[in-house]
Amino acid sequence: KQEVTQIPAALSVPEGENLVLNCSFTDSAIYNLQWFRQDPGKGLTSLLLIQSSQREQTSGRLNASLDKSSGRSTLYIAASQPGDSATYLCAVSGVDSSYKLIFGSGTRLLVRP
Amino acid sequence: DTGVSQDPRHKITKRGQNVTFRCDPISEHNRLYWYRQTLGQGPEFLTYFQNEAQLEKSRLLSDRFSAERPKGSFSTLEIQRTEQGDSAMYLCASSLSRTGQRGTDTQYFGPGTRLTVL
């Protein structure tokens, strides 16, 4: 059974710092991995999707990497801003789990001005 | 706005009542998903549709829950005889799945319906 873990559960950094969020999954048989952002009481905003054949994806100040064999992904945020404060969730679409996403519990990020 | 929309955004009901939520996916998206999220946790899969066909249901979807997607457009999720444990955020997502391109379809989420059962 696929399990997704995100560490740390919460993170507080000063504005301008570069930071890394971690995601690990137990079954490497995946089709893709997605990173999402969720603001309090809101829905999820898709940030990046990495297909299983890819190693990384970039969008603006965000860079996500995928090491499928070790079951790990990282989300790198450069030059963090207070507006980046949110919960970041990673999710995998497994080969044996149809098209549903299996989510981690998220990392709650606070960027202090 | 061409994103996924959900209605209502908030619903407060008394235990034992029936509730129905609606989701309108992004136009032309052929897949539609329902997830449930409780405080401090990531979303959990409930069910998904390929066009109008419901192809998978989670064990979380007890017989009090039913979902439909008539004509492959909008979807409804009904909960009968609500219980306090049903209190959660119900999220809908949609994606465009292309034959032979498994793994390329990004799921886009709506704003959610927050259910509170008193």
Side-chain angles (χ1 to χ4, degrees):
Chain A
K1 177 187 172 185
Q2 178 75 268
E3 292 184 0
V4 180
T5 303
Q6 292 186 247
I7 295 173
L11 182 63
S12 178
V13 300
E15 181 177 4
E17 191 162 299
N18 302 326
L19 58 99
V20 174
L21 306 181
N22 297 294
C23 172
S24 61
F25 46 95
T26 55
D27 187 346
S28 61
I30 64 170
Y31 280 114
N32 63 45
L33 182 145
Q34 281 190 249
W35 282 95
F36 295 89
R37 167 188 173 135
Q38 186 173 33
D39 293 291
K42 307 291 186 182
L44 280 64
T45 299
S46 178
L47 298 174
L48 292 163
L49 179 146
I50 310 177
Q51 296 176 49
S52 61
S53 59
Q54 298 174 327
R55 296 284 292 184
E56 65 178 318
Q57 283 287 330
T58 298
S59 176
R61 294 183 294 107
L62 305 179
N63 176 278
S65 68
L66 174 65
D67 184 342
K68 196 175 71 167
S69 61
S70 68
R72 296 185 181 188
S73 176
T74 61
L75 180 66
Y76 175 83
I77 303 177
S80 59
Q81 304 170 357
D84 295 330
S85 298
T87 295
Y88 291 80
L89 294 152
C90 73
V92 297
S93 175
V95 169
D96 66 344
S97 60
S98 66
Y99 293 85
K100 64 177 177 276
L101 292 175
I102 308 296
F103 282 84
S105 296
T107 293
R108 192 169 63 254
L109 173 65
L110 173 65
V111 181
R112 307 187 304 273
Chain B
D1 187 7
T2 58
V4 179
S5 62
Q6 293 186 245
D7 183 72
R9 296 291 304 278
H10 304 275
K11 179 70 176 179
I12 300 174
T13 191
K14 293 182 179 179
R15 188 176 54 188
Q17 298 294 306
N18 299 342
V19 294
T20 300
F21 310 141
R22 176 178 170 127
C23 170
D24 287 89
I26 293 173
S27 178
E28 297 179 355
H29 275 193
N30 52 2
R31 291 187 182 271
L32 187 148
Y33 314 79
W34 285 98
Y35 293 84
R36 182 171 69 184
Q37 185 179 28
T38 53
L39 197 63
Q41 300 298 313
E44 294 178 292
F45 170 79
L46 293 177
T47 188
Y48 91 94
F49 293 83
Q50 168 90 14
N51 298 312
E52 68 276 7
Q54 187 175 18
L55 296 185
E56 184 173 349
K57 294 193 295 185
S58 164
R59 59 178 174 76
L60 294 176
L61 216 65
S62 75
D63 56 6
R64 296 185 298 106
F65 289 70
S66 63
E68 295 182 341
R69 193 184 182 197
K71 302 179 182 179
S73 55
F74 70 92
S75 177
T76 58
L77 178 67
E78 180 183 16
I79 309 175
Q80 296 182 330
R81 305 181 303 281
T82 53
E83 302 173 354
Q84 288 185 325
D86 297 332
S87 295
M89 174 79 88
Y90 289 84
L91 295 162
C92 175
S94 70
S95 70
L96 177 61
S97 177
R98 297 181 177 88
T99 302
Q101 296 187 27
R102 179 74 190 266
T104 63
D105 51 329
T106 297
Q107 292 191 23
Y108 296 91
F109 282 75
T113 294
R114 178 163 296 283
L115 173 66
T116 301
V117 181
L118 301 177

